[in-house]
Amino acid sequence: MAKTAPKSKADAADEPFALRSLQDALETSPRYAASDAELLQFYETMLLIRRFEEKAGQLYGLGLIGGFCHLYIGQEAVAVGLQSALEEGKDSVITGYRDHGHMLAYGIDPKVIMAELTGRGAGISKGKGGSMHMFSTEHKFYGGHGIVGAQVPLGAGLAFAHKYREDGGVCMAYFGDGAANQGQVYEAFNMAALWALPIVFVVENNGYAMGTAVNRGSAETHFHRRGTAFRIPGISVNGMDVLEVRAAAEVALKHVRGGKGPVLMELVTYRYRGHSMSDPAKYRSREEVQEMRDKHDPIDAAKAELLKRGVTEERLKELEKTIRAAVGEAADFAENSPEPEMSELYTDILVERY
């Protein structure tokens, strides 16, 4: 008779892995029960991101922003829904080069973000990071990274630091559907799972890796399944609904803070503009974009819910006016701020002390 291979110690201690465990938890309560005040705050922050990015696009067109500029228009519910669930001063965030929205969602002053975009000394990275490489250790925001997928292993490192210091923090590491095919992402998955690191991996699936549709560049287009080989549970989320995003964030963070290791979230979202300001986006039709705007816009959906709850149109108009004024002030501040001193060329190059 054939004998079965003896079980190793690791096999004996192994628990059944349920890929759908967190998805089932989300589907039990798929939308966050936000108070009127919370929903209004979500709406306000999403609207701030939208108006800020529109202004950034204008300044880019005027030549006041150089280099690359990747706008977050359409994806606002992702950053707002997720980061509203984080603990300020405790958790950390790292992302790719479409980073302005994440910083605004983290409550960072629009003035210093706009000043950074325009390369001014008053910018949050002293004008040396620009659109793609903003950074703020004060806010535990670690970039802004231009190398596709490079931020994911760095995020695992941040999570390792949280665990090593026993500070109770969680790292939220964002990357796009294109970066999801990078090898370093899976090396980070393996280490994070092996060491049960406190990290939430977030795939912002906006349908297009630069100009390539997801189904043309990815064999597995359900990105929340990509962690299965590493026993990382996944959650698929409607990234155009801020309340579903926040509900999913609660599920993921409960798992991670409980010491159970990483979670992989796929936020299905959509960007209305091209990959960057230099992208004419001819790989998709205007009708496709307009349909998303008309039927799935996260800000319009939040506004409709607020009106249903009794918030007046007048109040929302006043809020819009206030946000436009704040964005205008940020642009004026940036334009009137001086460029960095020449001596700044030689700072922040090496770590001078440990």
Side-chain angles (χ1 to χ4, degrees):
M1 294 177 63
K3 293 183 179 180
T4 57
K7 286 189 175 183
S8 69
K9 195 172 181 180
D11 290 335
D14 206 13
E15 295 180 0
F17 172 62
L19 173 65
R20 280 193 54 87
S21 59
L22 300 186
Q23 190 77 52
D24 291 342
L26 174 61
E27 290 174 5
T28 300
S29 183
R31 300 188 86 224
Y32 177 68
S35 66
D36 291 353
E38 284 179 308
L39 182 57
L40 192 62
Q41 181 61 59
F42 296 162
Y43 173 76
E44 180 178 354
T45 308
M46 289 193 294
L47 191 59
L48 171 62
I49 295 171
R50 178 75 56 91
R51 298 296 174 248
F52 182 95
E53 294 289 68
E54 289 170 349
K55 176 62 73 173
Q58 292 172 8
L59 295 184
Y60 187 93
L62 292 170
L64 293 171
I65 295 175
F68 291 100
C69 184
H70 305 81
L71 302 181
Y72 205 61
I73 296 173
Q75 298 182 209
E76 297 89 353
V78 175
V80 173
L82 291 178
Q83 286 168 231
S84 64
L86 296 180
E87 295 185 32
E88 187 176 349
K90 183 177 180 180
D91 299 324
S92 57
V93 171
I94 190 167
T95 188
Y97 40 75
R98 198 181 305 278
D99 56 357
H100 323 154
H102 301 89
M103 298 198 86
L104 290 166
Y106 227 30
I108 299 174
D109 187 351
K111 290 181 180 179
V112 298
I113 301 175
M114 194 69 85
E116 188 60 38
L117 283 172
T118 53
R120 308 303 169 123
I124 198 162
S125 296
K126 301 178 184 178
K128 298 187 291 183
S131 170
M132 296 170 62
H133 302 102
M134 296 189 200
F135 203 93
S136 174
T137 52
E138 178 188 353
H139 295 88
K140 295 188 182 298
F141 183 90
Y142 295 94
H145 292 268
I147 303 300
V148 175
Q151 71 276 14
V152 181
L154 295 177
L158 290 168
F160 180 79
H162 285 305
K163 185 168 185 174
Y164 184 80
R165 294 170 181 156
E166 298 182 344
D167 60 16
V170 171
C171 176
M172 188 161 279
Y174 293 87
F175 57 106
D177 46 277
N181 293 321
Q182 290 285 324
Q184 59 193 323
V185 170
Y186 298 95
E187 295 179 50
F189 283 2
N190 186 56
M191 294 182 75
L194 193 62
W195 294 344
L197 298 183
I199 184 168
V200 179
F201 295 109
V202 179
V203 183
E204 294 192 77
N205 178 7
N206 61 28
Y208 296 92
M210 296 186 71
T212 304
V214 163
N215 59 5
R216 294 186 62 207
S218 297
E220 171 57 274
T221 58
H222 298 285
F223 293 98
H224 63 285
R225 298 176 182 169
R226 294 285 187 98
T228 308
F230 308 99
R231 305 178 68 80
I232 298 176
I235 315 177
S236 178
V237 187
N238 176 9
M240 304 300 275
D241 180 350
V242 71
L243 296 182
E244 182 172 331
V245 175
R246 176 57 189 267
E250 298 278 336
V251 171
L253 289 168
K254 181 180 178 181
H255 179 94
V256 176
R257 292 196 199 281
K260 298 178 181 178
V263 172
L264 174 60
M265 302 181 73
E266 177 187 1
L267 280 294
V268 182
T269 184
Y270 196 84
R271 56 173 165 80
Y272 297 158
R273 300 291 185 91
H275 173 71
S276 69
M277 286 297 295
S278 59
D279 174 18
K282 292 182 178 179
Y283 42 82
R284 60 186 182 181
S285 67
R286 291 183 180 180
E287 291 75 19
E288 177 185 310
V289 179
Q290 195 59 48
E291 182 179 6
M292 292 299 297
R293 279 185 176 273
D294 293 343
K295 297 181 180 179
H296 304 284
D297 187 80
I299 297 175
D300 287 350
K303 180 179 180 179
E305 185 144 350
L306 285 167
L307 292 171
K308 193 187 302 181
R309 292 188 183 198
V311 178
T312 64
E313 186 77 50
E314 290 71 25
R315 185 177 181 185
L316 296 180
K317 284 182 179 178
E318 191 60 35
L319 184 59
E320 167 91 32
K321 185 177 177 182
T322 301
I323 288 171
R324 286 186 179 276
V327 170
E329 287 176 14
D332 291 341
F333 174 79
E335 289 184 55
N336 294 318
S337 295
E339 293 183 356
E341 297 289 337
M342 287 296 291
S343 60
E344 280 296 336
L345 284 170
Y346 307 102
T347 63
D348 304 318
I349 297 170
L350 300 174
V351 176
E352 296 174 2
R353 61 179 181 173
Y354 295 88

